[in-house]
Amino acid sequence: MKASRIAAAGVVSGLAVLALSAPAFAHVGVQPEGTAAKGGYAVVDFKVPNERDNASTTKLEVTFPTDHPLASVMPQPVPGWTSEVTKAKPAKPLESHGKQITEVVTKVTWTADGKGVEPGYFQKFPVSIGALPEDADELVFKAIQTYSNKEVVRWIEVPQEGQEEPDTPAPVLKLSAAEDDAHGASGSSDSKAGDTEAAAENTAADTSSSDSGSDTTARVLGVVGIVVGAAGVGYGVLAGRRRSSGAA
C-alpha cells in the first residue's frame, strides 16, 4: 500500500512538472544555426509549433527590430509556404561594406500554400540576417501566428530579466561575443604559424635526439652481440678440446 502511494505521488509530481514546463516549449522562438556573433552574419530559425488540436497554423508574420535594423535579410524557401519581405527606409543612416543603405527589412511574412503546420507538428523558417549589431546583447523579434480557424496569437511581450516569462513572449535572439576581425584573424594566423614552426623545430630536435639515441643503442647492442658471439665461440673451442683429451 505504501509503495502504491509513493508511485502515485511520483506520477502526479511528474505530470505537474510536465504541465509547468509545457508552455516554455510551446511559443514561437528563434535560434541560430551555429552562432550569432556581434558584427557578423548568421542563419536563424524561427520555430513555430502548433498549439491547437483542431486547427493548423497557416500564417506567420515576424517583425524585425527597428532599434537595430538589419541591412541584409534573406528568407530561405520553405516547401509549401510563400514568403514576402517588407522593406522601409531606416530611421537613421546605415552603411554596409562602405555603401549607404536606403532600405531595411521590417517584416517577413510566410503564408501556407496548403494545410500549413498541422496539429502535433512544428515548422522552422530559416532566415539569413546581418550584419548583427555590435552594441547589443540580444535582438527581439515580434511574431504573429494565425490559425486556419482565423484565431490570431500575438507573440509580442518582451521578457524582462528577473521576472517571470510572459504568457506570449516575443522571440529573442541572444548574441555571442564578436569574432576576431580580419586583422585579428591575420595576427592569430601569424601566431599560429609561429607556434607551428616552433613545434616543428622541437619535433625535429626530438627526432634528431631520438635518432642519435637509437644509433648509440644500436652500437652498444652490436658490441654486446660481438662479445657474446666471441664468448660462445671460445666456449665451443674449449669444450671440443676437453672432449678430445678425454677420448685420448
Side-chain angles (χ1 to χ4, degrees):
M1 181 65 71
K2 185 176 180 180
S4 300
R5 290 179 179 176
I6 294 175
V11 171
V12 172
S13 299
L15 291 176
V17 170
L18 290 175
L20 291 174
S21 61
F25 296 95
H27 58 73
V28 174
V30 60
Q31 288 292 333
E33 294 183 5
T35 59
K38 298 178 182 180
Y41 288 75
V43 174
V44 300
D45 295 330
F46 290 96
K47 183 178 178 182
V48 182
N50 194 327
E51 296 182 300
R52 303 294 178 263
D53 297 328
N54 57 352
S56 299
T57 296
T58 56
K59 187 177 181 180
L60 174 68
E61 301 171 71
V62 176
T63 300
F64 283 70
T66 56
D67 54 343
H68 295 289
L70 301 173
S72 175
V73 176
M74 293 184 292
Q76 179 178 317
V78 178
W81 294 78
T82 299
S83 62
E84 180 183 356
V85 178
T86 303
K87 298 181 179 181
K89 185 178 180 179
K92 56 182 179 180
L94 271 183
E95 284 190 5
S96 179
H97 302 291
K99 296 182 179 180
Q100 192 75 20
I101 303 301
T102 58
E103 286 185 327
V104 295
V105 173
T106 57
K107 184 170 66 172
V108 178
T109 303
W110 289 269
T111 305
D113 298 329
K115 295 181 179 179
V117 186
E118 298 184 80
Y121 293 87
F122 73 91
Q123 178 67 54
K124 288 183 179 181
F125 297 90
V127 183
S128 173
I129 60 175
L132 298 173
E134 298 180 358
D135 57 348
D137 296 323
E138 62 184 24
L139 292 178
V140 178
F141 301 86
K142 296 185 179 182
I144 298 177
Q145 182 179 13
T146 302
Y147 287 91
S148 56
N149 60 1
K150 307 303 179 183
E151 179 186 0
V152 176
V153 181
R154 301 178 183 276
W155 305 98
I156 61 175
E157 296 182 86
V158 181
Q160 301 297 327
E161 187 175 356
Q163 298 182 12
E164 293 185 1
E165 186 178 67
D167 294 333
T168 54
V172 177
L173 176 66
K174 300 293 184 180
L175 303 182
S176 59
E179 298 178 348
D180 292 336
D181 56 17
H183 298 291
S186 176
S188 177
S189 298
D190 292 342
S191 176
K192 289 181 180 179
D195 293 343
T196 302
E197 185 177 353
E201 292 178 356
N202 291 336
T203 301
D206 292 342
T207 302
S208 176
S209 176
S210 176
D211 292 343
S212 177
S214 299
D215 291 343
T216 302
T217 302
R219 289 173 184 173
V220 172
L221 291 176
V223 172
V224 172
I226 292 173
V227 172
V228 172
V233 172
Y235 178 78
V237 172
L238 180 61
R241 290 177 178 178
R242 288 179 178 178
R243 284 197 296 272
S244 297
S245 299

